[in-house]
Amino acid sequence: MDAVRAAFAAVPRVSFLPPAARHRVEYDGPLAIGCGQTNSQPRTVEAMVRLLDVQPGQRVLDVGSGSGWTTALLAHLVGPTGSVIGVELEPTLVTFGAANLAATGQPWASISPAAPGVLGVPDRAPYDRVLVSAEPDSLPDELVGQLADDGVLVIPVAGVMLRVRRAGPDVEVSEHGRYRFVPLRSS
């Protein structure tokens, strides 16, 4: 079993759904988690995590952590020698996601409130990997700027999944299919 499949096996989606949605855990589509947000389609999450290519020991930023599922998956992939910082704008989801994440027993990962008007967590950058689970209209320079050298950002932009790799002063962008996400907001 590869590392991504092992993470999905170790961190089941059902634990990150509200009780009323748990009967639909096998549905390969987005499920509402409150505040107009969703727990993303498992196939989409898998595609994004594979594009991100997370390795043990890396520092990862998870923007739009929602229910905490992606944060927990990323934490499993980096292991205890790495760290994952999840940020979420909706206070109710910060509480929900942080509780779900805590139940996984991965103290090297956390979820905290996103700072209003700020994308990511620039004061703790750089990050080896950045995952964004919400969609802006254009690629946010603020998030690209938080990447370490050889860092990777996976983000849906205007309906297209982008993989952004920082190579020194250069930025390489590749497209990986069409997707729909909730809008990315910074306040």
Side-chain angles (χ1 to χ4, degrees), residues 1-145:
M1 181 179 304
D2 74 351
V4 172
R5 289 207 185 277
F8 273 76
V11 183
R13 182 186 196 199
V14 69
S15 302
F16 296 85
L17 296 174
R22 290 183 178 167
H23 71 282
R24 299 191 66 207
V25 69
E26 297 300 323
Y27 172 61
D28 188 25
L31 295 172
I33 57 171
C35 305
Q37 307 299 313
T38 63
N39 178 283
S40 295
Q41 177 178 14
R43 184 175 25 169
T44 299
V45 173
E46 181 178 356
M48 292 175 75
V49 170
R50 287 191 183 283
L51 284 171
L52 204 57
D53 189 29
V54 176
Q55 301 299 313
Q58 289 184 324
R59 289 178 34 86
V60 180
L61 174 64
D62 185 21
V63 178
S65 56
S67 70
W69 188 38
T70 54
T71 310
L73 289 166
L74 295 167
H76 187 274
L77 290 165
V78 301
T81 61
S83 65
V84 181
I85 299 168
V87 291
E88 172 57 51
L89 198 56
E90 295 291 342
T92 303
L93 293 180
V94 171
T95 301
F96 179 62
N100 293 337
L101 177 63
T104 69
Q106 300 179 106
W108 53 91
S110 63
I111 295 175
S112 57
V118 177
L119 286 177
V121 186
D123 61 335
R124 297 198 45 202
Y127 303 99
D128 300 302
R129 299 291 186 266
V130 177
L131 180 68
V132 182
S133 297
E135 181 177 329
D137 293 328
S138 60
L139 182 62
D141 290 335
E142 308 94 301
L143 292 176
V144 175

